[in-house]
């Protein structure tokens, strides 16, 4: 299959694994991923945060990496992309305040293009007003917010129509696999050649 062009919307203190892992995994199977942040240019960076689960009532946050953006937000047009990824972390809390972010998200839903969102990412989808009628999941603390946006809750990785959602980075294997299915990505596992004795 031909690789698809995928837009990823990120921001300062987005969750490190939820940005880095899908960014690299999607490229590894032949897709082209462009990472953008409003107010930043290609080549600039956003700071990520690592969220860990150690038995507390919520996640622990530590400083992650500097993640380099591929393009400026103003350089890209959502219509030029086949799919969208919206990672979690703290970034969605403020990214949902940008009209251009919400307009970009609405494009992918109006055009029925594949969208993958995880953890706090659905906060942006809720603010964009695109969740009505969907069954989704998110970080459990976001549940009241997404249900108020008109969706029903699922307690695990869920694909509903064009949307794949997960609760947090431990969901990556299933979340990314379901997104790849939605993209129509086929991965062929050929048998390993037997080694001569």
């Amino acid at each position: 299959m031909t690789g698809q062009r995928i837009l990823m919307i990120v921001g300062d203190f987005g969750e490190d694994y939820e940005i880095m892992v899908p960014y690299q995994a999607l490229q590894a199977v032949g897709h082209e991923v462009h990472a953008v942040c409003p107010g930043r240019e290609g080549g600039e960076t956003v700071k990520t945060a690592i969220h860990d689960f150690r038995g507390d009532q919520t996640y622990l946050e530590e400083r992650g990496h500097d993640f380099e953006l591929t393009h400026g937000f103003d350089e890209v047009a959502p219509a030029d992309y086949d799919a969208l990824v919206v990672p979690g972390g703290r970034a969605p809390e403020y990214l949902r305040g940008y009209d251009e972010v919400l307009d970009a998200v609405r494009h992918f839903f109006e055009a029925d293009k594949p969208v993958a969102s995880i953890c706090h990412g659905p906060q942006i989808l809720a603010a964009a007003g695109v969740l009505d009628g969907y069954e989704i999941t998110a970080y459990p603390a976001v549940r009241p917010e997404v249900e108020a946006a008109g969706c029903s809750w699922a307690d695990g990785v869920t694909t509903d129509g064009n949307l794949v959602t997960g609760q947090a980075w431990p969901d990556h294997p299933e979340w990314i696999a379901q997104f790849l299915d939605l993209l129509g990505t086929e991965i062929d596992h050929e048998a390993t050649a037997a080694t001569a004795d």
Side-chain angles (χ1 to χ4, degrees):
M1 73 157 267
T2 306
Q4 298 186 51
R5 296 185 79 199
I6 301 171
L7 185 65
M8 178 183 280
I9 300 175
V10 300
D12 280 327
F13 302 107
E15 211 292 320
D16 189 272
Y17 296 162
E18 294 168 7
I19 294 172
M20 293 294 291
V21 173
Y23 179 75
Q24 293 173 334
L26 291 165
Q27 290 180 87
V29 296
H31 298 299
E32 182 179 354
V33 184
H34 293 173
V36 298
C37 175
R40 301 273 170 86
E41 300 300 321
E44 292 186 311
T45 61
V46 294
K47 296 174 180 71
T48 69
I50 296 170
H51 293 155
D52 206 356
F53 307 97
R54 300 185 182 174
D56 302 307
Q57 290 181 321
T58 189
Y59 54 83
L60 170 73
E61 182 173 90
E62 297 178 351
R63 176 71 162 86
H65 296 91
D66 291 335
F67 176 76
E68 186 174 338
L69 303 169
T70 62
H71 294 76
F73 200 97
D74 296 338
E75 295 176 57
V76 301
D80 294 338
Y81 292 88
D82 302 302
L84 173 68
V85 176
V86 184
R90 280 197 289 128
E93 180 181 80
Y94 80 88
L95 289 174
R96 62 186 170 175
Y98 286 87
D99 288 339
E100 60 264 44
V101 169
L102 302 182
D103 288 343
V105 167
R106 289 181 190 117
H107 163 78
F108 287 92
F109 282 84
E110 289 163 2
D112 200 33
K113 295 178 181 179
V115 176
S117 189
I118 194 164
C119 193
H120 287 72
Q123 288 181 310
I124 294 175
L125 309 185
V130 296
L131 291 179
D132 192 37
Y134 278 91
E135 180 180 39
I136 77 159
T137 197
Y139 188 67
V142 180
R143 179 176 179 172
E145 187 172 345
V146 295
E147 286 182 328
C151 69
S152 59
W153 180 259
D155 194 22
V157 176
T158 302
T159 298
D160 186 356
N162 68 314
L163 177 62
V164 180
T165 51
Q167 293 191 344
W169 59 259
D171 284 344
H172 274 160
E174 190 178 353
W175 179 67
I176 292 171
Q178 288 189 30
F179 188 48
L180 291 174
D181 284 345
L182 198 56
L183 292 170
T185 308
E186 293 182 16
I187 299 172
D188 184 18
H189 299 279
E190 294 181 18
T192 307
T195 350
D197 290 326

